[in-house]
Structure formats: C-alpha cells, structure tokens
C-alpha cells in the first residue's frame, strides 16, 4: 500500500476542530511584529513551542502546538499582562521555522534581541545614578537594528521600507510594502526615532543636521548572505521636528521578456512594430512601482542587437543588459537627464532610453532627438495613456513636434494575482455580472461578447492556503492600455484636442482601457474586479 501525503489544509481543519480554535500556518514572507518578542527569550519559546503572531488592541493571538495546555496559557498571560490571550493551533515545525527566522538563522542577532537591548538601555538611562549618555546613531544596537530591518525587508521581497516617527511618546512604526500592500513590521521605542533616522542618513551620505527639508540619497548594503542591495532613500520632514524615511529596494536583475508580462498578443505585436521604427518616441506611463522601467527594458531586449548602439540614462540603474551603455544620473555634480541626453546626441546613438521625463527641458530634448533620427524610450508619471498627451502639452512642449514624434504610449498598472494553488471557481450573482458590464462599458461589452461569444458563467475568487499565507493572492498581474500615434491621433494632438476627444479617437482605433484589460483578466481567472478597481478607474 502506497503512503499518501495528507494535505496541510485537511490537517489544519482536523486540528482546529479538535482544539476548538483557529489553525494557522506560516510562510516565509509573513509579517510578524518583532516588538511582540521584546520581553521574551527565543530559547524559552523554543522549549515551550509557542509564538505570538499579532496584537490588536488588548488581544494577543498566540500560535501553540497544544492550545489545551492550561499551564502554558497561564505563562503566556504573565508574559502579556493586561491582555486577552487568543490561542491558535500550529504545527511545531512551523513555530520553529518562525523562531529560526527571528533569530536570523544563527547568522545575525535577532531583531527581538536588539529591541530588548534598547529597552534595557532606556531603563538604564532613567536611573538617576546611571550617568549614561543619550543613544546616538553610532550606537551598536542602532546600527545592528537598522541593518536587520533592511536585511529582513529584502528577504521578505518588500519593495519599500517606510519609517514613520510619531512623536516623543509614541513608538516609531516600520512598515514594509510587499506586493503593493503596506503592513506594519515592527515598532521602535520613541526615544530612538531620531537615532535610527540619523543612522540611515549616514548610510546614504545625507546631512544629519538638516531636518527641515527633504533629502535624497542611495545606500549600498550587503546582507549576511552576501547579496548586495541598493536602496533609494528619501527623507521627508513631518510634524514635531520628525522625519519620515522611505527606502526603495532596488535589486539588480535581468530584463523580463515581453511574453512574461501579461501583455495581450495584439499589444505585443504593436509595441514590437513601434520599437522597430528608426526614429520616434515610445512612452510607458503609470505610478511609481508599476513596472514602467521593467517594460522599457523588455522592449530594449527586443531590439538589443549588434547593429544598434543603445544608450540609457536612469535614476538609478535597476536592470542591466549586456550591449547597453548605461549611465546613472548624479544631480549633485550636475549630471541630470537633460545633461546626459545632450551628451548622448554627440555619441552617435541609434536608441536612447530616458529613465523619466521630469521637466520640460528633458522632454524637449527627448522629442527633438526623436525627430532627428533616434528612437527614444522614456517614462512619465500619468494616470492613463490619453492623459499623457495632455500632460506633455501642459509642460509647454510643442504640439506639432510631439505629434510628429509619438509612436506609442503604453499605460501600465499592477494588481494582485489570485493564488494559483487555491483560487476557486464559482457562479456569479446577477449583481456581479452587472458590475462587470458597468465597469467595462455597455457598448464595449456588447462588442466584446460578439467577438468572444458566450456569457459570464464562471468567475474566480480567493480562498487562502499555505502558499499565499491565507490571503488568496500571490504575485501581481499587469494591466495595460496602448495609444498608438496614428495619423488621426497626430492631427488631434496638433490641434490641442481635449482629453475626451483623444480617448474617443483611441477607442475607435481599437484601444482597450486599463479597466477593460483588467476585466478581461478577471474573466480569465487572474484577479478579481475589486482588485482591478483599486488600481484603475474608468
């Protein structure tokens, strides 16, 4: 008789019914606030097989291998005085895995231990005879804590680290953005809010004495596994003389192919035709973190041959490709996008990529370059492909030059993808079908049904499993809309046509909007209408 492996979901359901409490499973990217461990020893937790998961108000949820052990429940109540303990059952291996992660797996000191060290230093400073000095940014514990926060964010796949001081008495909140969603990771004692901020500013070569105006910098950091991490740092002054810090993690990576980016086949074909042109401008637009640079590098990979000389100017260089000559801007020495573009035009390029057209000067030079025999690719922060035209003209760029230059404008968003391991199909209610039709647009919906046939009989929804940490979502899916520089569109741009006129023209020429592309992916089972609405509006 062959041994059959029992699914974890069935094991969890059985344990939950037996102990009469929820079952929890852990995965490597789960956020557990380290301050819950401030007064706890990890060795003690290992011996007694329990771990705090989260705290909401006065309720602390604790995962245990045996929630029926009343003596252990009593010990937990002593560890969290004044709180209600809510037990949950978990596998012993999962509890040990969480404790290993919190301990840095033996390579570095754990964040809970460092926080405990800081708490002891606070207590020492409160004693009148301690004679201790206030902690500063060079304190050993502060240095180790900052390093561990960065290392943990990288391990969890976070794109951003947000450090948010609130005042003299409230704790400083550290939040990670993972797959587009922010979540609190830990809290730092209020007394050390400035020390941690100053430590980050020192690492980024910023002025620690200047707290009144924003500053930007970069950090090159190597974690315990030898991975080199680059972070883009921005400080912002807030109330009570505090400073928020946002660190964006930039990991060097190879370009993705266009076929791996959820682009519809007609859009891939149109984009390839656009970048094969000898001159003109192609723009990729959207908010920060929507994958604009990744998309441009995918386009460059399509034309990166020995016959083309390609220059890129970026801030910073996130993706590297062999065959590209890549330059990183350095505003402190006057090396801006505009300066680099002027230099490129003297270096006989075929293709130029500009990381971002932030101002009229850069936009004018890029448009001029695209009209003088160069293919130019760039990004812009706008809400849609059509609004990009209005934005360029509002910057003061010449409408005739831009109309002659524009080849394509691609707008992009990222929304959460349903977990492939646990998403489930269901028959939608009439209200859900009507919501899809309303979001898509009645006239366009009728045309879609005529092209594809059938009706909406099945949709997919999140369920939650161990793979996705119970959220029902894992990864992200791209939404796109593509405006092409047709002759009719060029004439409208030259005449400074209004946004709705440009949109009507693009729609008549076959443009699918961001929301419509999102609904297509809802019907395909990639995501849900609620997630599409969070990132795109009609």
């Amino acid at each position: 008789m062959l041994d059959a492996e029992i699914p974890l979901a069935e094991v969890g359901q059985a344990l939950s019914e037996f102990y009469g409490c929820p079952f929890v499973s852990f995965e490597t990217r789960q956020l557990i606030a380290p301050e819950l461990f401030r007064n706890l020893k990890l060795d003690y937790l290992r011996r007694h097989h329990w771990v705090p998961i989260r705290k909401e108000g006065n309720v602390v949820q604790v995962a245990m291998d045996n929630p029926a052990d009343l003596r252990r429940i009593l010990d937990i109540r002593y560890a969290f005085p004044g709180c209600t303990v809510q037990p949950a059952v978990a596998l012993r291996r999962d509890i040990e895995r969480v404790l290993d992660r919190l301990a840095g797996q033996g390579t570095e000191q754990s964040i809970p231990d460092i926080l405990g060290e800081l708490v002891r230093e606070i207590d020492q400073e409160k004693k009148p005879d301690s004679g201790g000095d206030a902690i500063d940014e060079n304190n050993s514990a502060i240095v180790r804590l900052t390093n561990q926060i960065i290392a943990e964010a990288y391990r969890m796949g976070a794109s951003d680290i947000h450090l948010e001081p609130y005042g003299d008495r409230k704790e400083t909140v550290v939040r990670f953005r993972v797959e587009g969603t922010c979540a609190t990771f830990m809290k730092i004692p209020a007394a050390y809010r400035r020390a941690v901020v100053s430590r980050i500013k020192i690492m980024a070569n910023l002025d620690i004495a200047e707290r009144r105006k924003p500053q930007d910098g970069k950090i090159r950091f190597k974690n315990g596994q030898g991975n080199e991490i680059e972070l883009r740092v921005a400080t912002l002054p807030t109330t009570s003389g505090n400073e928020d810090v946002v660190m964006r993690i930039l990991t060097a990576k190879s370009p993705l192919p266009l076929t791996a980016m959820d682009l519809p086949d007609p859009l891939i074909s149109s984009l390839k035709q656009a970048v094969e042109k000898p001159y003109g401008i192609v723009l990729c637009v959207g908010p920060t973190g929507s994958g604009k640079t990744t998309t441009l590098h995918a386009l460059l990979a399509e034309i990166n041959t020995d016959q083309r000389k390609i220059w890129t100017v970026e801030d910073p260089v996130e993706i590297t490709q062999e065959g590209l000559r890549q330059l990183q801007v350095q505003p402190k020495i006057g090396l801006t996008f505009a300066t680099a573009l002027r230099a490129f035009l003297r270096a006989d390029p075929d293709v130029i990529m500009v990381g971002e057209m932030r101002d009229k000067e850069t936009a004018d030079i890029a448009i001029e370059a695209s009209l003088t025999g160069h293919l130019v690719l760039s990004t812009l922060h706008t809400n849609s492909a059509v609004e990009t035209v209005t934005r360029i003209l509002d910057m003061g760029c010449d409408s005739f030059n831009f109309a002659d230059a524009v080849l394509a404008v691609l707008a992009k968003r990222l929304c959460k993808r349903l977990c492939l391991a646990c998403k489930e199909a269901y028959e939608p209610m009439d209200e859900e079908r009507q919501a899809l039709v309303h979001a898509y647009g009645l006239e366009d919906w009728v045309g879609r049904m005529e092209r594809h046939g059938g009706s909406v009989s099945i949709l997919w929804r999140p369920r939650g499993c161990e793979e996705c940490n119970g959220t029902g979502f894992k990864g992200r899916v791209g939404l796109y809309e593509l405006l092409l520089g047709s002759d009719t569109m060029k004439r409208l741009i030259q005449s400074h046509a209004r946004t709705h006129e440009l949109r009507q023209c693009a729609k008549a020429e076959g443009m699918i909007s961001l929301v419509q592309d999102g609904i297509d992916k809802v019907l395909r089972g990639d995501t849900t209408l609620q997630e599409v609405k969070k990132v795109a509006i009609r």
Side-chain angles (χ1 to χ4, degrees):
M1 181 176 179
L2 296 175
D3 292 334
E5 183 177 342
I6 303 175
L8 180 63
E10 295 183 14
V11 174
Q13 184 177 354
L15 289 173
S16 177
E17 292 176 359
F18 180 79
Y19 287 109
C21 63
F23 171 77
V24 294
S25 61
F26 301 92
E27 60 103 21
T28 57
R29 298 173 71 175
Q30 182 166 354
L31 290 170
I32 298 180
E35 68 268 13
L36 289 174
F37 302 83
R38 184 178 298 166
N39 299 316
L40 299 171
K41 294 290 186 182
L42 297 185
D43 288 341
Y44 167 81
L45 297 177
R46 288 183 200 278
R47 289 197 304 272
H48 294 86
H49 311 297
W50 64 272
V51 60
I53 302 173
R54 64 178 63 89
K55 183 179 180 183
E56 296 179 0
N58 291 326
V59 179
V60 178
Q61 187 176 30
V62 177
M64 316 168 58
D65 67 336
N66 182 13
D69 189 337
L70 297 180
R71 181 177 296 179
R72 208 182 315 177
I73 295 282
L74 189 61
D75 289 342
I76 296 171
R77 287 175 180 164
Y78 282 130
F80 296 99
C83 294
T84 300
V85 175
Q86 185 182 78
V89 63
L91 298 180
R92 184 175 293 187
R93 69 171 192 193
D94 287 345
I95 294 172
E96 291 174 352
R97 190 182 305 161
V98 171
L99 295 174
D100 285 341
R101 175 161 62 83
L102 287 163
Q105 298 180 340
T107 59
E108 296 167 313
Q109 188 178 11
S110 69
I111 288 179
D113 287 346
I114 299 172
L115 283 175
E117 188 176 328
L118 292 178
V119 171
R120 289 191 293 274
E121 290 186 9
I122 289 177
D123 295 337
Q124 184 70 16
E125 289 172 9
K126 288 180 179 178
K127 296 179 182 179
D129 58 343
S130 64
D133 296 324
I135 195 167
D136 64 20
E137 62 275 1
N138 295 314
N139 178 276
S140 174
I142 291 295
V143 172
R144 285 179 279 123
L145 178 64
T146 305
N147 292 347
Q148 279 294 84
I149 290 172
I150 295 172
E152 189 70 5
Y154 176 80
R155 187 196 63 78
M156 297 177 69
S159 60
D160 303 276
I161 305 169
H162 298 259
L163 192 71
E164 303 169 350
Y166 284 96
D168 294 336
R169 297 186 178 181
K170 293 192 69 175
E171 294 176 309
T172 294
V173 176
V174 178
R175 295 199 291 165
F176 291 169
R177 185 183 296 278
V178 180
E179 291 183 354
T181 302
C182 272
T184 298
F185 170 65
M186 65 177 294
K187 294 180 180 178
I188 301 171
Y192 304 128
R193 67 193 186 283
R194 287 186 174 170
V196 175
V197 170
S198 294
R199 176 59 193 168
I200 293 171
K201 290 169 78 172
I202 287 173
M203 294 171 73
N205 294 316
L206 302 179
D207 183 358
I208 64 172
E210 180 56 74
R211 296 175 181 163
R212 300 167 299 172
K213 63 181 182 181
Q215 297 186 66
D216 296 311
K218 294 183 179 68
I219 294 174
R220 288 190 179 274
F221 177 82
K222 186 170 286 188
N223 66 3
Q225 284 71 45
N227 299 311
E228 187 168 303
I229 308 166
E230 185 172 349
L231 301 101
R232 187 161 61 195
V233 181
T235 67
L236 296 154
T238 54
T239 57
S240 305
N242 293 315
E243 287 180 285
D244 273 31
V245 177
V246 179
M247 294 181 281
R248 188 175 184 195
I249 299 175
L250 309 169
T251 54
K253 51 188 177 182
S254 301
L256 285 173
L258 282 174
T259 52
M261 301 180 70
D262 302 300
L263 275 159
D265 291 338
L267 266 64
I268 292 178
S269 177
S270 297
L271 285 170
K272 285 183 176 180
Q273 290 178 22
V275 296
E276 287 291 343
K277 299 285 178 67
Y279 57 87
I281 190 165
V282 176
L283 297 175
C284 187
V285 303
T288 301
S290 59
K292 299 186 297 296
T293 303
T294 303
T295 304
L296 288 188
H297 271 279
L299 290 172
L300 287 176
E302 294 290 329
I303 58 174
N304 183 8
T305 64
D306 194 47
Q307 289 76 40
R308 288 187 176 92
K309 180 63 178 282
I310 304 175
W311 279 98
T312 78
V313 53
E314 304 169 68
D315 183 26
V317 175
E318 300 179 47
I319 301 171
T320 57
Q321 288 193 56
E322 187 176 348
L324 269 57
R325 310 311 301 152
Q326 298 179 263
L327 177 66
Q328 184 162 311
V329 300
Q330 299 184 51
K332 291 181 180 179
I333 62 170
L335 182 54
T336 62
F337 283 114
T339 305
L341 266 175
R342 289 194 187 93
F344 287 174
L345 295 178
R346 298 190 293 270
D348 189 29
D350 296 303
V351 182
I352 298 172
M353 189 191 103
V354 186
E356 183 183 348
M357 295 202 306
R358 295 176 178 173
D359 50 57
K360 181 180 182 298
E361 182 184 15
T362 305
D364 281 339
I365 300 171
I367 293 170
E368 182 183 344
S370 68
L371 292 172
T372 55
H374 307 91
L375 178 66
V376 178
L377 287 75
S378 188
T379 71
L380 208 63
H381 288 104
T382 55
N383 292 324
S384 68
V386 173
E387 290 176 38
T388 303
V389 176
T390 307
R391 171 72 183 279
I392 291 288
L393 300 184
D394 286 346
M395 289 170 65
C397 297
D398 184 87
S399 60
F400 283 86
N401 285 345
F402 180 63
D404 288 342
V406 65
L407 296 173
V409 181
L410 179 72
K412 183 176 183 182
R413 294 290 189 280
L414 293 175
C415 74
K416 292 182 179 179
R417 184 190 294 272
L418 285 168
C419 176
L420 297 176
C422 69
K423 69 176 183 179
E424 61 180 8
Y426 72 100
E427 185 176 347
M429 304 288 287
D430 289 339
E431 292 82 358
E432 292 178 89
R433 293 191 181 95
Q434 292 171 6
L436 285 171
V437 174
H438 177 74
Y440 201 93
L442 182 57
E443 293 181 7
D444 298 328
W445 182 264
V446 172
R448 186 190 189 283
M449 289 297 101
E450 289 176 353
R451 292 192 304 271
H452 297 282
S455 60
V456 182
S457 57
I458 293 177
L459 291 178
W460 282 262
R461 61 189 171 195
R463 187 178 64 182
C465 66
E466 185 181 18
E467 288 291 321
C468 60
N469 190 31
T471 64
F473 297 95
K474 189 172 184 180
R476 288 192 284 178
V477 60
L479 312 182
Y480 302 90
E481 70 178 24
L482 180 64
L483 180 150
L484 295 174
S486 65
D487 291 339
T488 305
M489 183 62 68
K490 289 176 184 290
R491 285 194 294 271
L492 288 173
I493 294 173
Q494 290 170 351
S495 62
H496 287 260
R498 295 182 178 181
T499 302
H500 77 273
E501 295 176 302
L502 296 170
R503 184 175 290 110
Q504 288 298 324
C505 174
K507 178 181 171 182
E509 294 177 346
M511 185 185 80
I512 303 296
S513 71
L514 285 165
V515 172
Q516 291 172 341
D517 185 43
I519 291 173
D520 285 340
K521 284 160 183 172
V522 169
L523 299 175
R524 200 171 73 185
D526 291 338
T527 185
T528 66
L529 180 59
Q530 291 75 20
E531 293 303 320
V532 171
K533 286 183 174 179
K534 287 179 182 179
V535 298
I537 58 174
R538 183 172 173 78

